[in-house]
Amino acid sequence: MSDDYKFDTLSLHAGHVPDAQHGSRAVPIHQTTSYVFRDSEHAAALYNMELGGHLYTRISNPTVAVLEQRVAALDNGVAATATASGMAALTTAVMTICSSGDHIVASSRMYGANINLLENTLPRFGITTTFVAPDDLAAIEAAIQPNTKIIFGEVIGNPGLDVMDVAAVAEIGKKAHVPLMLDCTFNTPWLLKPIALGANIIIHSLTKWMGGHGIAIGGAVVDGGNFHWGNDDRFPTIAGPHYAMNEINFHEEFGPAAFTAKFRAEGMYNFGPSMSPTNAFHILQGIETLPLRMQKHMDNTAAMLEFLSGHDAVAWVKHPTLPDHPSHELVKKMLPKGAGSIIVFGLKGGRDAGKAFIEAVELSSHLANVGDAKTLVIHPASTTHSHISAEAMVEGGLSDDMIRLSVGLEDIADITADFEIGFRAAARVAAKAAE
Amino acid sequence: MKHELDGANIHIATGGLDFDPTKPVLVFIHGSGQSHLTWVLQTRYFAHRGFAVLAPDLPGHGLSGGAPLTSIGDMADWIDGLLASLGVAQATLVGHSQGVLVALETASRHPERVAALTLIAGAMAIPVNDALIEMSQSAPEKAFRMMTSWGHGPGAHKFDNTQPGHAFLGYGRRVMAQNDGAALHADLVACNSYDGGKDAAASVTQPSLCLLAGKDKMTPVKFGRKMAEQISGAQCHVFERAGHFLPAEFPIEVNDAMAAFLSR
């Protein structure tokens, strides 16, 4: 092979070569907790990070490693680590970098659990966050303090669909020597590989489009290998002596993979947020068709945008590819293949009409997930973002009447017909309210 | 560890333990545009098995300061000078790729300093395409990509890796990008202009082990075999499925072969 395999090929093959003993073409599910050592020398080498390999499934597992290597390949990272969920990925990534007294600059317009972790949970451990609008570059730069260790945001915000200018924010981070960590759940590497634009750490909820079938919870952290942890003394637990393994210095020992080495040696070891091998297998099956599914998601999203934008029952529609979206110009440049398959919209008749719509649809599923092969709808204000304060809702650009649509892969005519059923129910509620 | 040499601050990986010159010394010499990170899966392993490990970043590479050296001869003298400055009378040299040329030349120029040789994925000469030499100066990122792609075997291209979650290609490119901007060009010119390999190999009297990669596109295995034939009494082992970055692609097998050789 004289050049790298391309994206579609890597989606199918990366991370796995059939083993010599059995030749299994599909990735085997290594449903085991532990691994027989060759001898005591081998055991000692694994425990001391002298060699790669598996010693206990909380730390690593052969099936999970295939998934990790596949995600690293698709995102052009130097390494990836899979976790039990996307939130486990984010929490462990933060804990790998930050200690008590450290500070994070984060987007104010993100998934509710991301906000909750930063706003309410981490302060209990001495890690504080300043929230800023993801499109306000001056505010991001101004919020950086001497103890800031991470800039964090979502490429496509959930559910407000604000788009971050990755290259511009990465440049701010580079100047301040602060890594840019991005939640890339909504874009997947098929739409954007942010490491190429200067992002340093990628967080995925693999539960969503990557897995794509709503059958397994999982997350991943991809290490861009492009942040120089040792440039100053800001990251002493990565680029200084660490308590483990005879005061190992991850930066000196593992170079561009220092973050991942620490994530696995400390995060997986001590916090234990491991993914089950069976979930890794399920998610791998999904990734095999990621390019095919994403193209269909984009096609159906474009069709749904046309349908919703022209419909009398709809009060407003928001999607980054629409000309009236503030990120429209940025999206044309940064996300040429599409800006994800989440659409948010409001119905004439407001919140009650929206509730009627969600309860009336017969094909679309009312549930908490996104990125399933099936079309999903939800009312964020009463569900995913119900724990967020009223002020944060406004700051996050969320309105009470917003419906979040995750466009699936069904025949587009069936999705629009289903929506007509919902619209009729919404209209009845709106008419009654007007009486 | 950090070490001052010829006015430059040099980084030397010691495998996570303090350098102890009373133990048998193993010196790992990296290849063109690389650093001590070539040897991630050898340095800690051998340091914790009774050896004093030194994996220096050549000047302008990895975490070392200084300007890149411009000839294989200078690099050989630098290795000798480094060992002298650390009080090491004799060491086993382990070279990869360009590091094989440096190890051979060090053994030729400073035979008293060299106890034994392990030559990994190398040959007696490493001619470099003019276009790549030019690219290393005009578009180094493109050169990193090309060399990393060519340098890895079929398993690595499928992201098969003994280190869970790690990706050879992305990692290899970042390792190269961490060097001084002039490092790769200086290395490639040094390799291309070096013609002393055959004589150096013929002069070797120390015990030698050649570890070669069957899928090596940078230093094809037939040239590695010629090197092994040229060195009196050299042992030779070919890893058929490996690419040029053999120490990372097949670390367990490489370490086993080295351990057997070192315990001879």
Side-chain angles (χ1 to χ4, degrees):
Chain A
M1 189 64 196
S2 58
D3 197 7
D4 297 7
Y5 287 114
K6 310 297 185 293
F7 191 95
D8 292 12
T9 309
L10 293 173
S11 299
L12 291 158
H13 289 276
H16 181 232
V17 173
D19 71 275
Q21 189 178 359
H22 302 295
S24 304
R25 180 55 275 184
V27 177
I29 302 174
H30 290 270
Q31 193 64 49
T32 183
T33 59
S34 28
Y35 310 86
V36 177
F37 303 120
R38 288 200 306 179
D39 50 35
S40 51
E41 287 275 298
H42 180 227
L46 290 176
Y47 271 96
N48 198 33
M49 295 185 83
E50 296 161 19
L51 286 172
H54 306 286
L55 59 91
Y56 193 61
T57 287
R58 191 177 84 246
I59 323 295
S60 68
N61 168 280
T63 309
V64 179
V66 173
L67 172 64
E68 293 168 336
Q69 285 145 214
R70 191 161 301 180
V71 174
L74 295 177
D75 257 323
N76 277 348
V78 300
T81 316
T83 54
S85 69
M87 286 311 300
L90 173 60
T91 304
T92 313
V94 169
M95 292 300 191
T96 298
I97 296 172
C98 295
S99 302
S100 178
D102 287 343
H103 174 256
I104 296 168
V105 174
S107 164
S108 56
R109 300 174 188 164
M110 298 194 293
Y111 171 49
N114 286 358
I115 299 263
N116 251 325
L117 172 71
L118 300 172
E119 186 175 40
N120 301 314
T121 307
L122 290 178
R124 289 173 42 222
F125 302 93
I127 300 165
T128 55
T129 296
T130 300
F131 291 98
V132 290
D135 54 356
D136 189 342
L137 299 178
I140 292 171
E141 189 161 18
I144 295 172
Q145 307 172 5
N147 61 339
T148 301
K149 302 296 171 74
I150 299 170
I151 301 172
F152 178 59
E154 296 171 347
V155 171
I156 302 170
N158 175 16
L161 307 182
D162 302 272
V163 178
M164 182 178 269
D165 186 339
V166 175
V169 179
E171 196 54 39
I172 292 169
K174 193 174 174 186
K175 210 169 101 190
H177 194 225
V178 177
L180 173 59
M181 182 188 290
L182 290 175
D183 185 329
C184 293
T185 301
F186 275 37
N187 54 281
T188 82
W190 191 82
L191 287 174
L192 182 73
K193 298 186 187 75
I195 291 169
L197 298 179
N200 305 109
I201 295 165
I202 302 299
I203 307 289
H204 287 295
S205 167
L206 300 175
T207 312
K208 314 302 190 307
W209 291 264
M210 295 286 270
H213 297 80
I215 55 172
I217 300 283
V221 181
V222 185
D223 185 348
N226 54 349
F227 189 77
H228 301 280
W229 303 99
N231 272 11
D232 57 24
D233 57 3
R234 194 182 280 253
F235 303 96
T237 67
I238 297 179
H242 190 263
Y243 65 85
M245 286 167 284
N246 202 22
E247 300 203 323
I248 193 169
N249 180 318
F250 293 104
H251 167 61
E252 289 185 0
E253 297 272 346
F254 299 101
F259 167 81
T260 293
K262 187 181 180 224
F263 189 104
R264 200 177 291 281
E266 183 181 70
M268 300 306 285
Y269 218 97
N270 294 358
F271 297 127
S274 49
M275 174 186 281
S276 84
T278 303
N279 273 6
F281 174 82
H282 287 307
I283 293 168
L284 279 163
Q285 297 314 293
I287 291 179
E288 291 198 356
T289 57
L290 178 71
L292 299 171
R293 288 185 290 103
M294 287 304 286
Q295 185 60 63
K296 181 78 188 285
H297 277 301
M298 294 309 108
D299 292 346
N300 273 1
T301 298
M304 282 306 289
L305 284 171
E306 195 177 339
F307 169 74
L308 292 171
S309 299
H311 204 286
D312 284 345
V314 176
W316 58 270
V317 185
K318 188 174 178 187
H319 189 266
T321 57
L322 293 176
D324 61 350
H325 192 280
S327 304
H328 181 64
E329 288 305 314
L330 171 66
V331 163
K332 279 203 287 189
K333 184 179 68 170
M334 194 175 84
L335 294 161
K337 291 159 85 175
S341 57
I342 298 296
I343 299 171
V344 290
F345 65 96
L347 291 178
K348 291 174 183 168
R351 181 180 178 137
D352 290 342
K355 184 165 173 281
F357 168 85
I358 281 176
E359 290 175 354
V361 289
E362 297 170 1
L363 181 67
S364 307
S365 305
H366 178 202
L367 52 74
N369 198 17
V370 291
D372 196 322
K374 303 170 186 74
T375 293
L376 316 173
V377 290
I378 200 165
H379 178 233
S382 62
T383 55
T384 55
H385 286 65
S386 59
H387 302 297
I388 305 300
S389 66
E391 299 77 34
M393 286 281 285
V394 173
E395 171 58 24
L398 306 180
S399 58
D400 203 32
D401 64 340
M402 175 189 285
I403 293 171
R404 183 182 72 185
L405 158 63
S406 177
V407 182
L409 307 178
E410 298 92 341
D411 189 300
I412 193 68
D414 290 330
I415 305 175
T416 55
D418 189 47
F419 269 48
E420 292 290 4
I421 295 170
F423 291 156
R424 284 195 289 278
R428 283 194 292 276
V429 168
K432 200 169 177 186
E435 283 172 5
Chain B
M1 69 178 180
K2 301 298 177 191
H3 183 68
E4 282 289 317
L5 184 66
D6 302 335
N9 188 254
I10 299 302
H11 176 79
I12 308 172
T14 58
L17 295 179
D18 290 340
F19 177 63
D20 177 0
T22 65
K23 296 177 181 173
V25 178
L26 282 180
V27 183
F28 291 87
I29 309 170
H30 64 75
S32 297
Q34 307 297 315
S35 70
H36 70 280
L37 296 167
T38 294
W39 307 108
V40 165
L41 300 176
Q42 281 75 42
T43 45
R44 292 181 68 77
Y45 187 85
F46 284 102
H48 287 83
R49 275 155 189 75
F51 294 90
V53 166
L54 297 170
D57 287 340
L58 290 171
H61 294 69
L63 302 173
S64 284
L69 303 172
T70 55
S71 75
I72 300 299
D74 285 353
M75 294 174 201
D77 291 343
W78 187 87
I79 290 288
D80 179 67
L82 176 72
L83 294 176
S85 72
L86 289 167
V88 178
Q90 203 172 51
T92 293
L93 306 188
V94 185
H96 173 244
S97 190
Q98 172 191 286
V100 166
L101 302 182
V102 176
L104 285 172
E105 187 63 20
T106 308
S108 170
R109 291 185 181 209
H110 310 283
E112 72 291 346
R113 190 78 69 191
V114 180
L117 292 171
T118 296
L119 307 171
I120 304 179
M124 294 181 287
I126 306 181
V128 183
N129 182 298
D130 286 345
L132 179 60
I133 292 176
E134 194 280 322
M135 189 191 294
S136 69
Q137 211 163 24
S138 63
E141 293 280 348
K142 205 171 160 188
F144 303 158
R145 181 183 172 85
M146 183 179 281
M147 287 178 66
T148 311
S149 216
W150 277 75
H152 284 95
H157 270 275
K158 289 181 180 164
F159 291 76
D160 191 25
N161 202 315
T162 61
Q163 288 183 283
H166 284 238
F168 286 114
L169 302 175
Y171 184 79
R173 285 160 194 160
R174 294 296 174 192
V175 167
M176 296 184 81
Q178 285 188 347
N179 293 340
D180 181 297
L184 179 61
H185 184 258
D187 288 345
L188 295 180
V189 170
C191 282
N192 195 46
S193 56
Y194 178 66
D195 60 4
K198 197 167 179 182
D199 290 343
S203 74
V204 170
T205 56
Q206 295 89 340
S208 300
L209 171 68
C210 297
L211 301 178
L212 308 175
K215 301 285 183 184
D216 192 337
K217 292 182 177 171
M218 315 287 272
T219 51
V221 67
K222 64 180 177 182
F223 298 114
R225 287 187 200 277
K226 283 185 180 167
M227 172 178 72
E229 287 163 11
Q230 187 77 358
I231 300 172
S232 174
Q235 299 176 34
C236 184
H237 186 84
V238 179
F239 299 88
E240 293 295 346
R241 298 293 296 163
H244 186 63
F245 286 100
L246 175 57
E249 290 183 49
F250 286 83
I252 295 169
E253 294 81 354
V254 164
N255 291 3
D256 283 351
M258 280 184 61
F261 173 70
L262 293 167
S263 67
R264 69 196 179 279

